[in-house]
Amino acid sequence: MDTLCGSKFWDSNLSLHTDNPDLTPCFQNSLLAWAPCIYLWATLPWYLLYLRRNSQGYIVLSRLCRLKTALGVLLWCISWADLFYSFHGLLHGQGPAPVFFVTPLVVGVTMLLATLLIQYERLRGVQSSGILIIFWFLCVVCAIIPFRSKILAAMAEGSISDPFRFCTFYIYFALVLSALILSCFREKPPFFSPKNVDPNPCPEGSAGFLSRLSFWWFTELAILGYRRPLEEKDLWSLDKDDRSHVVVHRLLKAWRQQQKQAARRQKAAAALGKKGTGEDVGLLRGRPQVQEPSFLRALLVTFGPAFLISTFFKLIQDLLNFTNPQLLSILIRFISNPEAPTWWGFLVAGLMFVCSVTQTLILHQYYHCIFVTALRLRTGIIGVIYRKALAITNSVKRESTVGEMVNLMSVDAQRFMDVSPFLNLLWSAPLQVILAIYFLWQIVGPSVLAGVALMVLLIPLNGAVAMKMRAFQVEQMKLKDSRIKLMSEILGGIKVLKLYAWEPSFLKQVEGIRESELQLLRKSAYLQAISTFIWICTPFLVTLVTLGVYVCVDENNILDAEKAFVSVSLFNILKVPLNMLPQLISNLTQTSVSLKRIQNFLIQDELDPQCVERKTISPGCAITIQNGTFTWAQDLPPVLHSLNIQIPKGALVAVVGPVGCGKSSLVSALLGEMEKLEGKVSMKGSVAYVPQQAWIQNCTLQDNVLFGQPLDPKRYQRALEACALLPDLEVLPGGDQTEIGEKGINLSGGQRQRISLARAVYSNSDIVLLDDPLSAVDSHVAKHIFDHVIGPEGVLAGKVSEVGPYSALLQRDGSFASFLRNYAPDDEQEELGSKTALQGTEDDVLLIEDTLSNNTDLTDNEPVMYEVRKQFMREMSTMSSEGEAQGRSASRRRLDSSEKTVQVTEAKVTGALTQEETAATGNVKLSVFLDYAKAVGIYTTLAICLLYVCQNAAAIGASVWLSEWSNEASMEQRPNNTSLRLGVYATLGIMQGLLVMLSAFTMALGGMQAARLLHHSLLHNKMHSPQSFFDTTPSGRILNRFSKDIYVIDEVLAPTILMLFNSLFSSLSTLVVIVVSTPLFAVVIVPLAALYTFVQRFYVATSRQLKRLESISRSPIYSHFSETVTGTSVIRAYCRSHDFEVLSDTKVDINQMSCYPYIASNRWLGIRVEFVGNCVVLFAALFAVIGRSSLNPGLVGLSVSYALQVTMSLNWLVRMMSDLESNIVAVERVKEYSKTETEAPWVVESSRPPKGWPPHGEVEFRDYSVRYRPGLDLVLKQLNVHVHGGEKVGIVGRTGAGKSSMTLCLFRILEAAEGEIRIDGLNVASIGLHDLRSQLTIIPQDPILFSGTLRLNLDPFNNYSEEDIWQALELSHLHTFVSSQPAGLDFQCSEGGENLSVGQRQLVCLARALLRKSRILVLDEATAAIDLETDDLIQATIRTQFDNCTVLTIAHRLNTIMDYTRILVLDKGEVAEFDSPTNLIAARGIFYGMAKDAGLA
């Protein structure tokens, strides 16, 4: 170098050991001038590669760009001028040094490159160039030193030695500075970029480099969130790369690739197996190993590259992490050496600050990158699972419940998101450990091994604790799952529980599970406390052991400040990776379990879309099955055997047969939902399908009918009319814009069925498959529907209809003629109908029905059908809205045709049934914190605070003691009391650890106490809530309280509060230590605290709201998913799979829109808070330098090493405060649902009914009126009815006349508005609900069973003997079925009794009634879902077994009540007629009309 310059390159006397440092001219002209150039050329290849890949379209040449280019050209000219000046000197014999030729050449070429880059970036659409900003910044920084040197030299000499170069340098400096300033401004957006139609694009895309680096682009949202609570419309729309359909498409592509490869490997393996051995040996060798496609590999292919970028940031950050301890060591040396020039100290303080700031900026870029990747990862997994769920076979669906599938999406996908940020620790932790040990070895030599050995020993301990906690967690998840499952069933069947007065039994079950859950929680909380103890004590014990060994090994080893505090700060760095490793390992094990579960789900069998042939079919036929054998799953016996069916176009075919003979299975087979073992199925045209149990979406009634088709008002109107839905629209609060609750909760069974039918009618499909469509509707409605929809004159005439179990229509003898007789359009056509309408296909029909049970394969391309069905459904609902669940006036009148055209879509005002779940806004009220503190226990809370104060006092004591000890070395005295020093240090440290453990134990106890109390009050309140609460609140919302919010209270709140206390007290103790050692620091505390509070206020307001928005937008994803899973057969039948995928993607995107700013808000906060922390470091070091004369090295070491940790705790403090605010909301939500209004007490001790009440079963309504909810119209008005004991009364009336309401009043599900009901003279309102309900018996309309044994479903309180139960089963005709089951009475019913047919479930309800044998029996359309044979059995049983009881029957089929004592006809909530059937028919009133419709009069 010296030869290049012709002078000395480095002179330490000039540069270091002086009060006025400077660099040699040679250094300035060579290395200093080259540094920016070297940087630019080094980054160029990578940058060009990046620009080639990412083009945004070009930017028009702007004034800014022209200016930048002009500056670049000028700089190039200046450099050439310098170069020519050197040549000029050479020619004139001055002979300048070689460096004067090399430097201008290098700088000139680099400036030219920079100018060209400016233009190239413009063409590639770069608005702000980070590469060039850094380049110009380096140019300015490197020019500052010559800037000062040249002026100092000129002043010293009194003249300028080289005026030309002097001038060119200052022009160069001015130009470089201008270039830096200009490069900070960003260009306009690219010209041909896709036009941003986006109303609210994310500002990150167009933000400049500096704005991205500091997350300044987020500030606007932070300010907005501070001014007012954020709403969904304030959120930015997603970047294209973050949108679901893009991410999912990429992941699906990679996964399909994996599947193909696995299939290829499988083939290759099979081929090898065949080749290698003969047939016989091959059999012995077994099958080749199954090659499964790897989902992990698909994830790596999709998200790997983004992950690598984050790895690069992490590496730089890890290396920077170790510079501050080195600088601390220099600073302590500087303080110990009074001769050192003062500027050294300032330089070290400045370097510490610069290093910390750089580290902060890089760390947050890393976090941002990794969290965004994690978010995409979750999105991709959710999308892939959703698409798979739409395609799986029924056997797969049977194995995994809806809950399990939702879990894959919610829990397992979330796990991937949670583990992603830790993955880099796999290489980063070992790297940090190795570097830390290397630096420690340099300070304390081999003694470091003692400390490291201790750390290594603690790893298995940490690991063991983590494993144990993991085991507890798994167990606890099982308990939690079973508790949530039970709760979900309770909420689903809450009406039944209330009617049977079974709540206490189920309450006890839930509390039992909860108790074992809390015991596990307590154990894991204690373990958590132990691991906290280890976490706090590890760095301390390690420091103690290392320093102890160091001093004891050799007397010459003296502990001075530098050794002590640099070791402490290195051990602090070491603490993080070592503590994270066990956590990472447990996270990874969890994620690997999730990965397996997801992969297993994704490789399950899918339905074969080719199972039903859609293209070719024998001419004239609409449906043909040739020799078809079908099963529900490969391992089950076939349900339908060798069917041969041909159905001509336009035929109406009915399929009949007893319960369980396979009628519904035939429909499924045609839809391609069953597995075809042999044969061929062909269907021509689009398909509509109405399932036996209507599938209703949680959207408006209109959307349910349209089911994704555009609205055609005429067709829509016709569908509603045909399905008798118009009268219902009058009664529904919002007409056809009424929002329908989950699973159609606010509609009666008949309405749901008719909406399902309307959907099919509207879809205008070629083939319509109806599975028992009229079971849930009244006979006159059934007639209407048959006439207008199914019959020869109906909307569907000329389409093919496969009509499934038409039980409702087949009269006594079950023959087809009577079916027609009942439903042929007019009486005159009766004869004709029975002969021609079916063209004598009676035997075929029966055949069909027998063979029916085997195929369920429906292909997905039948949009039309779907539509019909949708319309059908809508219509259906209108008619039979009984007004049960939904509060509304049930006045109905027969519409005449002129009124029917009433514009249905006019929404009445109050269409929404369920209120939107609101996101609470603003600050969490102080009362919520107090509520939680009270639940924890006031004394416990105070004890925790006190323990923390003591613990921090001990920690400070230990550090101060260490500082005093290390100062002994500088006093030049031989330390002789080493053991005392070590002893006190150890005592203080261990005391600190014990106090931490104590406080963690106390918190654990308090947290458990709170969890128990809050869940208890929530559960009891919900069990006592009136039915109306459940009708207006989606079960998902209540379940959310029991799952998500209780989980937060159980497992999140207590640790969050502990962490909050930890960071709060450690931040405070840092400030105390720094102020005590350098009192000057007190001056800057106030401004720094102000800045900190300012940032924290902005952040907390915004992030809290973002978190709330995120949790609100999360549940629709899962509820839509579970809705989809239950309706897959309908979705596939109507070919709507793709639309539903889009719908799901949209819901995920809405959720991401609040996740993304939440991630950015954390980075925004982190950078600002860490800046405050970095300022603390700067000032602690600065004031140490300023007051060096009065300070000893020990104190400086103490205060700066404390300052270096403060950044972390300040960051955690805000984060934890915000987390606490977000999570304490759970307490607020649980409290809100623990205080809702309850129904009357279950038992009123002061007025219990006499034993054996009611003796006669006499029921009397006196002036009785009732409404569903306050503010709604009366449903029953001034009812006066007297039923004598033992009478059999049939209750009939048009839909909505108040039939069901009347029975609900009897059970006090609805409380009287006025009047009273007396049973045997006792006013039912005066006794407890359970005393009343346990003495009445009901067989409800929807037979609901709970998962558990059959015995539990019949007798949850174990009141009856085994003989009683068997006898009841015998009478309810279930004896043969139950005794054929190996488990007998312990036969496990699945969720909702899914493994029994609807008819069998109804019989179980009958058995319940037979067991109770109470004086009063209520039947609510109980026989709607059963075929006639079973119906007759039930009716016979009721007649014989309940002959001396009072029986009230709500009847749809009039033939069941024609022999009753009296019949009560209700109309618009009033008694219209009440007399014996014969008298009523003679009177020719309403009843006569209904009987005539049913062919009974």
Side-chain angles (χ1 to χ4, degrees):
M1 258 333 208
D2 291 358
T3 49
L4 190 70
C5 302
S7 65
K8 259 179 108 175
F9 176 68
W10 178 253
D11 180 357
S12 54
N13 288 328
L14 174 69
S15 304
L16 291 179
H17 308 296
T18 168
D19 285 337
N20 190 7
D22 202 352
L23 291 170
T24 60
C26 175
F27 192 98
Q28 291 181 19
N29 286 332
S30 56
L31 200 59
L32 211 52
W34 299 344
C37 308
I38 295 170
Y39 154 80
L40 190 62
W41 286 99
T43 51
L44 184 69
W46 309 106
Y47 190 47
L48 287 177
L49 191 70
Y50 167 80
L51 285 178
R52 277 196 55 194
R53 292 266 175 92
N54 299 18
S55 171
Q56 311 286 337
Y58 76 86
I59 297 172
V60 185
L61 195 57
S62 62
R63 201 172 288 157
L64 179 66
C65 188
R66 289 194 180 110
L67 260 176
K68 287 185 193 168
T69 314
L71 286 177
V73 173
L74 281 173
L75 281 163
W76 175 66
C77 296
I78 292 283
S79 308
W80 286 120
D82 265 358
L83 183 62
F84 288 130
Y85 181 68
S86 303
F87 278 120
H88 174 264
L90 191 63
L91 292 173
H92 288 75
Q94 285 162 1
V99 77
F100 289 113
F101 293 97
V102 177
T103 300
L105 184 66
V106 171
V107 174
V109 174
T110 310
M111 290 304 164
L112 190 60
L113 171 70
T115 314
L116 293 172
L117 255 184
I118 291 172
Q119 287 308 316
Y120 186 56
E121 284 175 343
R122 178 178 73 80
L123 296 175
R124 306 302 286 174
V126 177
Q127 288 178 265
S128 171
S129 164
I131 295 284
L132 285 178
I133 290 182
I134 297 173
F135 169 68
W136 295 124
F137 177 70
L138 287 174
C139 287
V140 172
V141 170
C142 292
I144 286 176
I145 296 173
F147 185 93
R148 172 177 171 268
S149 301
K150 286 190 191 310
I151 292 176
L152 287 177
M155 281 165 66
E157 292 171 20
S159 65
I160 296 170
S161 55
D162 188 346
F164 182 81
R165 288 204 178 92
F166 189 85
C167 292
T168 52
F169 172 76
Y170 284 104
I171 296 171
Y172 165 83
F173 186 81
L175 291 172
V176 174
L177 190 59
S178 314
L180 172 64
I181 294 167
L182 285 181
S183 65
C184 293
F185 294 101
R186 55 169 199 206
E187 293 281 355
K188 294 194 187 81
F191 190 54
F192 285 122
S193 60
K195 266 281 174 279
N196 252 339
V197 246
D198 221 332
N200 195 5
C202 179
E204 185 186 10
S206 57
F209 171 74
L210 295 175
S211 170
R212 280 186 170 207
L213 198 60
S214 62
F215 291 88
W216 185 257
W217 53 270
F218 181 79
T219 309
E220 204 179 323
L221 194 68
I223 293 172
L224 183 66
Y226 179 68
R227 286 205 180 127
R228 64 172 173 78
L230 292 174
E231 296 159 32
E232 204 177 303
K233 64 173 194 302
D234 301 321
L235 301 176
W236 305 309
S237 43
L238 290 175
D239 205 37
K240 186 174 123 287
D241 293 337
D242 294 318
R243 298 224 165 123
S244 286
H245 64 95
V246 177
V247 178
V248 176
H249 177 71
R250 283 171 51 207
L251 181 56
L252 265 179
K253 198 165 134 195
W255 170 241
R256 300 243 160 84
Q257 199 56 42
Q258 289 302 320
Q259 284 178 309
K260 279 180 198 152
Q261 285 174 10
R264 278 204 295 274
R265 287 199 297 269
Q266 189 80 23
K267 268 187 193 156
L272 272 174
K274 271 185 192 160
K275 238 191 308 189
T277 57
E279 278 295 306
D280 43 344
V281 192
L283 284 172
L284 293 173
R285 266 185 32 186
R287 290 160 60 189
Q289 181 128 22
V290 180
Q291 293 280 338
E292 288 188 353
S294 156
F295 187 57
L296 179 62
R297 213 167 283 156
L299 289 174
L300 286 175
V301 170
T302 318
F303 303 106
F307 207 79
L308 284 173
I309 297 172
S310 67
T311 308
F312 169 69
F313 284 130
K314 179 76 177 142
L315 179 66
I316 299 177
Q317 198 268 332
D318 283 352
L319 297 175
L320 279 173
N321 214 353
F322 286 94
T323 48
N324 270 336
Q326 304 310 312
L327 291 170
L328 174 65
S329 144
I330 297 172
L331 184 68
I332 295 176
R333 256 183 263 161
F334 161 77
I335 299 283
S336 323
N337 172 12
E339 276 83 61
T342 314
W343 66 268
W344 283 14
F346 291 122
L347 180 70
V348 170
L351 282 175
M352 276 183 144
F353 180 67
V354 169
C355 174
S356 303
V357 171
T358 317
Q359 201 178 331
T360 296
L361 293 175
I362 287 176
L363 179 68
H364 289 286
Q365 288 305 319
Y366 158 70
Y367 277 141
H368 188 61
C369 185
I370 197 88
F371 277 110
V372 170
T373 309
L375 187 62
R376 286 181 191 167
L377 189 70
R378 189 193 71 163
T379 305
I381 293 175
I382 288 180
V384 171
I385 292 172
Y386 186 87
R387 282 155 175 75
K388 180 70 182 184
L390 277 174
I392 51 175
T393 61
N394 276 290
S395 53
V396 176
K397 216 151 126 191
R398 198 154 281 170
E399 284 159 24
S400 43
T401 63
V402 178
E404 281 171 7
M405 287 193 237
V406 174
N407 255 348
L408 284 179
M409 193 181 259
S410 54
V411 181
D412 297 324
Q414 189 63 42
R415 281 224 180 113
F416 275 93
M417 188 169 169
D418 296 341
V419 82
S420 306
F422 295 120
L423 284 177
N424 276 315
L425 279 176
L426 284 173
W427 60 264
S428 154
L431 174 75
Q432 289 184 52
V433 171
I434 291 165
L435 282 173
I437 292 175
Y438 167 74
F439 286 123
L440 279 164
W441 185 284
Q442 292 192 321
I443 298 169
V444 290
S447 314
V448 68
L449 295 177
V452 172
L454 180 66
M455 280 195 168
V456 173
L457 285 175
L458 284 173
I459 287 181
L461 182 59
N462 260 335
V465 173
M467 289 297 283
K468 195 70 187 146
M469 281 171 73
R470 178 86 203 90
F472 283 153
Q473 214 173 358
V474 171
E475 228 172 308
Q476 193 189 321
M477 280 303 282
K478 281 183 195 152
L479 285 171
K480 184 177 152 196
D481 282 352
S482 55
R483 176 170 63 85
I484 299 301
K485 186 174 165 219
L486 183 59
M487 272 318 299
S488 136
E489 289 196 54
I490 289 175
L491 294 176
I494 189 81
K495 196 169 181 178
V496 175
L497 291 186
K498 288 189 179 304
L499 292 169
Y500 288 130
W502 278 2
E503 299 103 326
S505 158
F506 283 82
L507 196 63
K508 207 162 114 198
Q509 285 185 53
V510 177
E511 299 216 294
I513 299 175
R514 178 70 181 159
E515 206 36 61
S516 17
E517 203 182 346
L518 283 171
Q519 278 171 350
L520 271 177
L521 269 173
R522 184 175 303 121
K523 284 182 195 164
S524 55
Y526 289 158
L527 276 178
Q528 182 76 50
I530 292 170
S531 74
T532 312
F533 172 67
I534 298 174
W535 154 253
I536 296 282
C537 287
T538 304
F540 174 78
L541 285 173
V542 171
T543 315
L544 177 71
V545 170
T546 307
L547 299 181
V549 169
Y550 178 71
V551 230
C552 298
V553 172
D554 184 351
E555 282 186 3
N556 299 327
N557 287 347
I558 295 172
L559 186 68
D560 58 14
E562 186 189 338
K563 290 192 178 101
F565 289 105
V566 176
S567 317
V568 169
S569 48
L570 282 167
F571 278 125
N572 278 330
I573 291 178
L574 200 50
K575 175 168 78 165
V576 180
L578 285 177
N579 278 295
M580 290 309 245
L581 274 177
Q583 192 183 340
L584 172 69
I585 291 162
S586 79
N587 270 352
L588 278 176
T589 48
Q590 271 175 301
T591 312
S592 67
V593 173
S594 292
L595 180 72
K596 277 199 198 87
R597 285 175 44 165
I598 292 175
Q599 183 164 312
N600 286 342
F601 179 68
L602 291 179
I603 57 178
Q604 297 290 359
D605 298 338
E606 298 189 8
L607 284 175
D608 173 16
Q610 267 37 71
C611 174
V612 176
E613 176 58 59
R614 309 306 298 266
K615 305 284 182 293
T616 55
I617 191 164
S618 39
C621 290
I623 299 176
T624 59
I625 300 181
Q626 293 157 24
N627 194 26
T629 301
F630 304 94
T631 178
W632 279 109
Q634 293 293 351
D635 48 358
L636 296 176
V639 193
L640 303 170
H641 306 268
S642 34
L643 292 188
N644 283 295
I645 302 176
Q646 280 204 343
I647 297 173
K649 282 187 182 157
L652 165 62
V653 180
V655 180
V656 295
V659 169
C661 69
K663 299 181 292 290
S664 296
S665 301
L666 175 61
V667 178
S668 297
L670 293 173
L671 290 173
E673 296 277 317
M674 290 182 82
E675 298 188 27
K676 182 170 66 175
L677 298 177
E678 55 181 49
K680 187 177 175 204
V681 184
S682 314
M683 272 166 85
K684 191 71 194 279
S686 54
V687 180
Y689 166 52
V690 179
Q692 187 171 1
Q693 289 191 306
W695 176 70
I696 305 287
Q697 284 179 274
N698 185 1
C699 55
T700 63
L701 189 143
Q702 185 179 38
D703 292 337
N704 264 299
V705 176
L706 300 180
F707 207 51
Q709 284 205 328
L711 175 65
D712 168 349
K714 271 190 188 161
R715 191 169 85 193
Y716 175 60
Q717 195 64 28
R718 200 175 72 218
L720 294 184
E721 227 167 278
C723 299
L725 279 167
L726 292 175
D728 297 83
L729 293 184
E730 299 226 310
V731 179
L732 289 169
D736 66 349
Q737 296 305 310
T738 304
E739 179 205 347
I740 297 176
E742 298 171 74
K743 300 180 185 155
I745 183 94
N746 51 332
L747 300 174
S748 68
Q751 286 170 318
R752 290 201 285 268
Q753 192 63 1
R754 292 200 313 267
I755 288 181
S756 181
L757 193 57
R759 183 187 292 169
V761 173
Y762 186 80
S763 71
N764 215 356
S765 307
D766 306 334
I767 297 173
V768 185
L769 303 173
L770 312 175
D771 191 350
D772 200 3
L774 302 185
S775 58
V777 296
D778 303 356
S779 52
H780 57 283
V781 178
K783 179 178 186 318
H784 174 100
I785 289 182
F786 192 82
D787 296 351
H788 291 88
V789 180
I790 301 164
E793 305 291 310
V795 190
L796 298 180
K799 316 245 171 167
V800 175
S801 303
E802 278 282 327
V803 182
Y806 231 124
S807 48
L809 308 184
L810 298 173
Q811 287 301 317
R812 301 277 160 180
D813 48 1
S815 82
F816 231 64
S818 61
F819 162 75
L820 272 182
R821 186 165 61 246
N822 247 343
Y823 290 97
D826 302 307
D827 304 312
E828 305 87 80
Q829 287 188 347
E830 205 171 286
E831 301 305 307
L832 174 115
S834 54
K835 309 270 188 308
T836 55
L838 286 171
Q839 298 157 350
T841 50
E842 200 168 326
D843 355 54
D844 298 62
V845 171
L846 291 169
L847 161 109
I848 292 185
E849 113 160 56
D850 292 333
T851 50
L852 216 178
S853 255
N854 302 304
N855 192 26
T856 303
D857 243 59
L858 199 141
T859 53
D860 303 10
N861 30 3
E862 304 153 293
V864 192
M865 170 150 193
Y866 166 45
E867 193 99 28
V868 170
R869 170 153 160 229
K870 186 154 178 189
Q871 177 151 356
F872 207 19
M873 246 161 133
R874 253 204 177 126
E875 275 182 298
M876 248 152 127
S877 182
T878 344
M879 246 166 120
S880 67
S881 128
E882 293 274 84
E884 287 123 33
Q886 161 76 319
R888 51 179 175 241
S889 78
S891 58
R892 285 271 163 91
R893 58 193 198 298
R894 197 82 171 126
L895 294 180
D896 41 68
S897 50
S898 63
E899 283 179 70
K900 278 194 187 166
T901 49
V902 79
Q903 196 35 47
V904 195
T905 44
E906 245 176 283
K908 298 174 197 156
V909 219
T910 53
L913 159 80
T914 54
Q915 292 73 37
E916 275 297 308
E917 181 162 13
T918 46
T921 49
N923 281 327
V924 180
K925 295 184 205 66
L926 192 61
S927 61
V928 180
F929 289 100
L930 281 176
D931 275 339
Y932 187 70
K934 278 181 202 150
V936 169
I938 298 293
Y939 291 119
T940 319
T941 316
L942 291 174
I944 294 167
C945 295
L946 190 67
L947 283 167
Y948 262 104
V949 174
C950 301
Q951 172 229 320
N952 275 286
I956 294 178
S959 304
V960 171
W961 184 261
L962 183 63
S963 146
E964 286 300 311
W965 180 8
S966 63
N967 280 334
E968 282 187 354
S970 58
M971 307 288 183
E972 302 296 329
Q973 57 188 35
R974 302 294 311 162
N976 45 13
N977 49 0
T978 311
S979 48
L980 169 75
R981 288 289 186 190
L982 264 178
V984 175
Y985 186 54
T987 316
L988 282 168
I990 288 171
M991 211 164 87
Q992 175 198 356
L994 290 172
L995 287 166
V996 172
M997 189 149 90
L998 257 177
S999 53
F1001 271 122
T1002 323
M1003 189 69 225
L1005 282 171
M1008 285 307 92
Q1009 171 72 5
R1012 171 179 281 114
L1013 280 175
L1014 290 166
H1015 179 268
H1016 183 266
S1017 60
L1018 176 67
L1019 180 66
H1020 279 261
N1021 180 284
K1022 281 299 125 282
M1023 283 300 203
H1024 285 272
S1025 292
Q1027 181 63 36
S1028 59
F1029 174 82
F1030 299 98
D1031 292 339
T1032 52
T1033 313
S1035 60
R1037 200 176 293 173
I1038 304 173
L1039 263 186
N1040 221 342
R1041 302 288 190 279
F1042 279 101
S1043 54
K1044 181 79 172 37
D1045 295 327
I1046 289 291
Y1047 158 74
V1048 168
I1049 291 169
D1050 285 353
E1051 300 180 47
V1052 181
L1053 270 182
T1056 306
I1057 291 173
L1058 277 182
M1059 295 286 286
L1060 177 68
F1061 277 168
N1062 261 336
S1063 29
L1064 175 66
F1065 284 108
S1066 75
S1067 307
L1068 288 177
S1069 52
T1070 303
L1071 293 181
V1072 170
V1073 167
I1074 298 177
V1075 170
V1076 170
S1077 52
T1078 47
L1080 244 184
F1081 185 77
V1083 180
V1084 293
I1085 283 187
V1086 177
L1088 284 179
L1091 178 62
Y1092 182 72
T1093 325
F1094 184 67
V1095 168
Q1096 182 258 346
R1097 291 285 296 282
F1098 271 93
Y1099 166 76
V1100 170
T1102 308
S1103 87
R1104 177 180 56 224
Q1105 208 50 29
L1106 285 170
K1107 190 117 190 218
R1108 280 176 180 165
L1109 286 171
E1110 192 271 332
S1111 60
I1112 285 174
S1113 61
R1114 193 182 324 136
S1115 42
I1117 301 177
Y1118 308 138
S1119 54
H1120 175 247
F1121 179 59
S1122 57
E1123 190 174 82
T1124 306
V1125 173
T1126 47
T1128 39
S1129 53
V1130 177
I1131 294 170
R1132 289 195 284 243
Y1134 286 98
C1135 298
R1136 286 288 318 284
S1137 297
H1138 180 68
D1139 302 4
F1140 272 77
E1141 285 167 15
V1142 172
L1143 200 59
S1144 170
D1145 285 351
T1146 313
K1147 288 186 190 300
V1148 175
D1149 282 347
I1150 290 172
N1151 177 247
Q1152 282 202 93
M1153 275 164 60
S1154 47
C1155 280
Y1156 193 86
Y1158 182 67
I1159 291 173
S1161 73
N1162 281 334
R1163 306 285 69 81
W1164 180 87
L1165 164 84
I1167 281 184
R1168 280 145 192 76
V1169 165
E1170 285 183 22
F1171 180 74
V1172 173
N1174 297 338
C1175 290
V1176 173
V1177 174
L1178 171 68
F1179 289 120
L1182 264 185
F1183 295 144
V1185 173
I1186 292 171
R1188 65 192 276 208
S1189 50
S1190 60
L1191 286 177
N1192 55 38
L1195 272 180
V1196 173
L1198 178 68
S1199 90
V1200 178
S1201 62
Y1202 257 89
L1204 286 174
Q1205 290 175 66
V1206 79
T1207 319
M1208 189 73 168
S1209 37
L1210 285 179
N1211 213 333
W1212 272 111
L1213 183 61
V1214 181
R1215 204 63 59 80
M1216 286 299 133
M1217 278 160 85
S1218 170
D1219 274 6
L1220 181 62
E1221 281 214 357
S1222 312
N1223 289 321
I1224 202 90
V1225 174
V1227 177
E1228 189 177 12
R1229 288 160 52 105
V1230 167
K1231 273 291 194 198
E1232 173 198 355
Y1233 272 29
S1234 310
K1235 292 178 179 165
T1236 53
E1237 183 193 356
T1238 54
E1239 55 185 1
W1242 286 345
V1243 175
V1244 180
E1245 286 301 341
S1246 57
S1247 74
R1248 299 203 65 164
K1251 214 171 170 50
W1253 175 87
H1256 313 298
E1258 179 182 356
V1259 179
E1260 186 181 1
F1261 285 78
R1262 293 189 184 168
D1263 295 330
Y1264 192 82
S1265 305
V1266 75
R1267 53 171 57 94
Y1268 271 98
R1269 291 195 292 284
L1272 296 172
D1273 297 344
L1274 291 174
V1275 191
L1276 297 176
K1277 303 161 200 161
Q1278 299 292 320
L1279 211 61
N1280 279 298
V1281 176
H1282 190 181
V1283 179
H1284 303 293
E1287 267 196 311
K1288 309 283 177 281
V1289 176
I1291 303 173
V1292 297
R1294 304 272 173 220
T1295 297
K1299 305 187 293 287
S1300 293
S1301 313
M1302 192 168 157
T1303 57
L1304 294 179
C1305 297
L1306 198 56
F1307 285 85
R1308 284 178 62 196
I1309 296 285
L1310 298 178
E1311 295 283 7
E1314 51 190 76
E1316 59 180 23
I1317 300 176
R1318 288 183 170 272
I1319 296 182
D1320 281 351
L1322 183 65
N1323 182 355
V1324 297
S1326 64
I1327 59 174
L1329 292 178
H1330 281 187
D1331 284 339
L1332 167 67
R1333 291 171 185 170
S1334 57
Q1335 298 309 321
L1336 308 175
T1337 306
I1338 187 166
I1339 302 182
Q1341 181 175 2
D1342 298 328
I1344 291 188
L1345 301 190
F1346 299 94
S1347 57
T1349 61
L1350 189 62
R1351 185 197 303 268
L1352 173 94
N1353 271 294
L1354 292 169
D1355 172 28
F1357 294 105
N1358 289 328
N1359 291 341
Y1360 303 99
S1361 66
E1362 192 127 330
E1363 293 77 52
D1364 293 345
I1365 296 180
W1366 278 110
Q1367 190 184 354
L1369 290 173
E1370 177 79 59
L1371 291 167
S1372 57
H1373 312 283
L1374 278 170
H1375 191 279
T1376 39
F1377 169 73
V1378 180
S1379 48
S1380 70
Q1381 298 297 329
L1385 286 177
D1386 294 325
F1387 168 72
Q1388 282 291 333
C1389 304
S1390 62
E1391 201 172 336
E1394 292 293 329
N1395 53 352
L1396 298 173
S1397 74
V1398 183
Q1400 285 169 322
R1401 279 180 251 166
Q1402 197 74 65
L1403 293 174
V1404 172
C1405 292
L1406 176 65
R1408 287 175 186 165
L1410 289 161
L1411 269 179
R1412 272 221 177 158
K1413 222 30 188 308
S1414 61
R1415 276 270 163 229
I1416 299 174
L1417 171 69
V1418 179
L1419 296 175
D1420 185 358
E1421 310 169 332
T1423 51
I1426 309 178
D1427 61 309
L1428 290 170
E1429 243 174 298
T1430 324
D1431 191 7
D1432 289 345
L1433 293 173
I1434 289 184
Q1435 293 296 342
T1437 308
I1438 288 170
R1439 282 185 178 75
T1440 53
Q1441 295 302 313
F1442 293 96
D1443 55 342
N1444 56 349
C1445 304
T1446 309
V1447 180
L1448 304 175
T1449 303
I1450 294 181
H1452 274 179
R1453 305 179 186 164
L1454 298 186
N1455 59 313
T1456 56
I1457 56 164
M1458 289 309 274
D1459 58 345
Y1460 275 26
T1461 332
R1462 289 194 285 171
I1463 286 181
L1464 169 65
V1465 182
L1466 287 177
D1467 189 30
K1468 298 180 195 166
E1470 295 168 352
V1471 179
E1473 305 172 359
F1474 188 26
D1475 208 340
S1476 66
T1478 31
N1479 295 352
L1480 287 180
I1481 286 178
R1484 300 211 157 220
I1486 300 181
F1487 183 71
Y1488 168 72
M1490 294 170 87
K1492 184 164 178 281
D1493 281 353
L1496 298 169

